[in-house]
């Protein structure tokens, strides 16, 4: 509604005032409302703890330092998700777990990393990734997209090459259809698992009304860069893709099962949020470990107390949950 000033200006007569327009309650300004893009400052957090075992404070001591939950960074990533949901459209996830959808072609100017794998200029490996091509129609392979990255599909395209707009990354690309799982237009990402590889902690958040409720705050142990087998947990925004009550893992360099990790929630490649690993021949679930919340030491996964991992497993749902990994 448009308002007008009531009262005379110094050079305005009372007669002029009588001729001035008055507010009209029936007037509607039908100009298109400009949507505001949210920032981290617009995201409201409040604590509503549902899992209080091993509960951490916002700041807590670690050896001779202080560690903390980086809520500002988490809010910035949540704002990215909120803005994408506000745009609407069809949702999709890049998918190539264990190269099941075929190994991506080799990108130009590739590098071979310390794991002796082909990698693009952004550090994303070809293994378990999707090829992202130029939208200019010249079929130029520009980079790789991580398994689990979230995309929007502007059109319901049935062609072999599908145009996608990045949510987990910036830009628009063409992707072969076999590397995309389409989740339709009704998905709402209202659950977040936030992992901090610097402070080695994990939090869960769920949107209720206009705010995000913090449900848990716990220690975690993430992946370590240690060729040839262990890799750091990649940072970014990922979709929860599947869950396994027991995730069996192999002894390094062999095809022999070494044990299992309980209550595993997969978000990218072979990276899961899971409980404390149990090595064979022991078959009982281990609740906790003194190494949780210390330094990175897993193969890529995010370890936490097994009861917290079960909380995540029971609460997080495929198509509604996002894993945010910050540094």
């Amino acid at each position: 509604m448009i308002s007008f000033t009531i009262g005379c200006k110094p050079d305005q007569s009372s007669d002029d005032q009588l001729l001035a327009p008055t507010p009209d309650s029936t007037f509607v300004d039908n100009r298109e409302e400009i949507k505001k893009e949210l920032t981290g400052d617009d995201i409201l957090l409040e604590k509503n703890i549902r899992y209080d075992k091993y509960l951490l404070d916002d700041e807590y001591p670690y050896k001779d330092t202080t560690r903390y939950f980086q809520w500002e960074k988490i809010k910035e990533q949540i704002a990215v998700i909120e803005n994408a949901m506000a745009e609407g459209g069809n949702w999709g996830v890049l998918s190539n777990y264990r190269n099941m959808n075929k190994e991506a072609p080799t990108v130009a100017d590739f590098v071979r990393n310390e794991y002796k794998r082909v990698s693009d200029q952004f550090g994303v490996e070809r293994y378990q990734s999707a090829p992202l091509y130029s939208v200019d129609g010249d079929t130029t392979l520009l980079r790789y997209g991580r398994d689990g990255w979230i995309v929007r599909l502007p059109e319901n395209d049935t062609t072999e090459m599908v145009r996608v707009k990045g949510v987990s990354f910036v830009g628009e690309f063409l992707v072969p259809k076999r590397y995309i799982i389409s989740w339709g237009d009704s998905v709402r990402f209202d659950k977040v698992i936030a992992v901090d590889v610097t402070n080695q902690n994990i939090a869960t958040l769920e949107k209720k009304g206009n705010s995000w409720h913090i449900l848990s705050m716990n220690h975690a142990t993430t992946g370590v860069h240690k060729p040839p087998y262990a890799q750091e947990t990649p940072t970014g925004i990922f979709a929860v893709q599947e869950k396994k009550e027991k995730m069996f893992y192999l002894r390094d360099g062999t095809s022999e099962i070494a044990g299992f990790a309980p209550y595993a929630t997969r978000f990218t490649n072979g990276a899961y949020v899971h409980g404390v690993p149990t090595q064979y021949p022991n078959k009982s679930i281990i609740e906790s470990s003194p190494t949780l919340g210390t330094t990175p030491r897993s193969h890529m996964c995010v370890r936490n107390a097994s009861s917290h991992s079960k909380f995540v497993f029971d609460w997080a749902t495929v198509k509604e949950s996002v894993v945010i990994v910050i540094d």
Side-chain angles (χ1 to χ4, degrees):
M1 182 175 296
I2 297 177
S3 60
F4 298 90
T5 303
I6 298 177
C8 297
K9 294 181 182 179
D11 58 349
Q12 184 181 40
S13 69
S14 58
D15 290 339
D16 291 335
Q17 182 185 1
L18 294 174
L19 297 175
T22 58
D24 183 353
S25 61
T26 64
F27 178 81
V28 177
D29 186 351
N30 59 3
R31 289 175 296 182
E32 183 179 352
E33 182 181 351
I34 299 174
K35 290 183 178 179
K36 175 191 173 186
E37 187 168 275
L38 299 179
T39 68
D41 292 336
D42 299 306
I43 304 301
L44 303 177
L45 302 183
E46 60 179 277
K47 289 185 181 178
N48 183 16
I49 302 299
R50 283 174 45 188
Y51 175 91
D52 59 6
K53 201 171 182 179
Y54 317 114
L55 183 65
L56 296 172
D57 292 326
D58 291 326
E59 295 186 2
Y60 55 94
Y62 175 71
K63 293 186 176 180
D64 58 349
T65 63
T66 298
R67 286 185 170 173
Y68 53 95
F69 285 85
Q70 299 189 76
W71 298 123
E72 295 306 313
K73 281 190 177 183
I74 292 170
K75 291 197 297 180
E76 288 171 3
Q77 297 304 297
I78 289 177
V80 172
I81 299 166
E82 291 264 31
N83 287 327
M85 286 194 293
E87 287 189 46
N90 293 304
W91 295 93
V93 177
L94 300 184
S95 175
N96 199 19
Y97 181 43
R98 295 181 177 175
N99 280 354
M100 293 176 67
N101 296 320
K102 192 175 180 182
E103 185 176 49
T106 303
V107 70
D109 301 324
F110 72 90
V111 297
R112 197 169 290 278
N113 62 22
E114 293 180 78
Y115 296 86
K116 298 182 179 180
R117 292 176 179 159
V118 171
S119 173
D120 65 17
Q121 67 269 35
F122 301 98
V124 179
E125 293 181 350
R126 174 175 63 174
Y127 180 60
Q128 301 189 102
S129 289
L132 305 185
Y133 292 89
S134 167
V135 295
D136 295 331
D138 55 8
T139 64
T140 300
L141 177 58
L142 299 177
R143 61 170 304 181
Y144 297 124
R146 291 189 187 278
D147 172 83
W149 271 358
I150 302 169
V151 298
R152 288 179 58 253
L153 311 174
E155 301 174 0
N156 241 333
D157 206 332
T158 58
T159 61
E160 283 304 307
M161 295 290 281
V162 180
R163 190 183 185 110
V164 304
K165 182 176 182 180
V167 176
S168 301
F169 57 99
V170 177
E172 294 192 26
F173 299 88
L174 292 175
V175 181
K177 189 176 180 181
R178 65 174 174 270
Y179 295 102
I180 299 173
I181 298 176
S182 178
W183 282 348
D185 60 0
S186 61
V187 171
R188 300 294 297 174
F189 293 113
D190 57 7
K191 297 178 180 179
V192 164
I193 304 163
V195 176
D196 186 333
V197 300
T198 298
N199 290 281
Q200 295 291 283
N201 58 41
I202 183 171
T204 57
L205 305 94
E206 184 170 0
K207 187 164 189 187
K208 297 287 186 180
N210 294 322
S211 63
W212 286 80
H213 290 201
I214 301 167
L215 308 183
S216 66
M217 299 165 58
N218 290 83
H219 289 301
T221 298
T222 60
V224 63
H225 184 89
K226 190 177 180 181
Y229 302 113
Q231 288 184 268
E232 63 268 39
T233 306
T235 58
I237 299 174
F238 305 91
V240 169
Q241 300 185 71
E242 65 172 323
K243 300 191 290 183
K244 297 178 181 178
E245 193 163 347
K246 285 187 176 181
M247 186 274 289
F248 295 95
Y249 61 90
L250 304 178
R251 199 173 305 281
D252 286 344
T254 75
S255 57
E256 176 187 355
I257 294 179
F260 71 91
Y263 308 115
T265 302
R266 189 175 73 84
F267 57 98
T268 183
N269 298 357
Y272 294 77
V273 175
H274 63 63
V276 177
T278 294
Q279 295 184 356
Y280 284 158
N282 182 15
K283 296 183 180 180
S284 300
I285 291 176
I286 300 169
E287 164 60 2
S288 190
S289 166
T291 62
L292 291 176
T294 57
T295 58
R297 61 185 64 225
S298 82
H299 277 55
M300 185 186 280
C301 295
V302 181
R303 301 178 190 171
N304 39 151
S306 293
S307 58
H308 183 259
S309 187
K310 186 179 187 305
F311 168 77
V312 173
F313 183 89
D314 292 339
W315 162 79
T317 48
V318 175
K319 296 186 181 181
E320 296 176 348
S321 306
V322 172
V323 175
I324 293 171
V325 183
I326 61 173
D327 54 16

